[in-house]
Amino acid sequence: MDPFLQAAISEAATGFAEGGIPIGSVLVRQGIILGRGHNRRMQLGNPVLHGEMDALQNAGRLPAHIYRECTLYTTLSPCPMCSGAILLYGIPKVVIGENLTFMGEEEHLKSRGVQLEVVQSKECIDLMNKFIEAYPSVWNEDIGET
């Protein structure tokens, strides 16, 4: 498996172990992870700390041209908020662990020229299904259903 997707999965597993939603992400440039993170909405009571947002925050302030040379790896299809950040910073490529449990704004990202690679990782799917089954109300809250 791709080591960067594996790093995102590791972040997702950390989030799950902390009692949060198991979505992880890493921002990579030239084979180096610049930032890594996981969904910490539940842990910190912060509505915007999705996995992708946490990874971007943990990468710190970067010049605009750096983002345009990055790939964002995420265990789950990016939601509208995270897709907006991808577009805002001009991240050209996103590797998605899976989009079966949730389909984010992939069509919008593609329409704006972002290259997407969807892996359909069994590990990502199983982790999300385990969480959704155990905590359906938390999951529905995360995706704006309740």
Side-chain angles (χ1 to χ4, degrees):
M1 175 178 286
D2 183 305
F4 300 120
L5 182 57
Q6 192 58 55
I9 292 169
S10 176
E11 284 292 326
T14 297
F16 188 67
E18 294 172 353
I21 301 161
I23 303 167
S25 185
V26 294
L27 182 67
V28 177
R29 178 179 178 247
Q30 298 175 352
I32 298 168
I33 295 175
L34 301 180
R36 56 191 309 142
H38 53 274
N39 187 305
R40 297 191 299 153
R41 287 184 65 250
M42 302 307 296
Q43 300 92 311
L44 299 179
N46 185 327
V48 298
L49 269 185
H50 285 195
E52 299 91 337
M53 304 300 274
D54 195 39
L56 290 169
Q57 178 175 305
N58 290 330
R61 183 176 168 207
L62 300 170
H65 74 89
I66 298 294
Y67 295 107
R68 292 190 296 268
E69 299 169 358
C70 288
T71 298
L72 184 72
Y73 290 76
T74 181
T75 59
L76 188 64
S77 186
C79 76
M81 176 180 64
C82 296
S83 295
I86 291 163
L87 295 173
L88 177 67
Y89 293 109
I91 297 169
K93 182 175 180 184
V94 180
V95 176
I96 299 167
E98 66 104 350
N99 64 5
L100 299 178
T101 60
F102 176 78
M103 174 63 76
E105 297 296 314
E106 293 179 26
E107 290 306 316
H108 182 63
L109 289 169
K110 285 192 252 183
S111 77
R112 298 282 301 273
V114 177
Q115 179 188 351
L116 302 181
E117 179 183 333
V118 182
V119 176
Q120 301 303 17
S121 158
K122 181 175 179 350
E123 197 171 355
C124 292
I125 295 165
D126 290 348
L127 191 56
M128 280 308 302
N129 279 328
K130 182 178 175 181
F131 179 83
I132 292 167
E133 186 176 310
Y135 306 101
S137 65
V138 174
W139 174 240
N140 287 332
E141 174 189 320
D142 195 63
I143 60 172
E145 295 291 323
T146 17

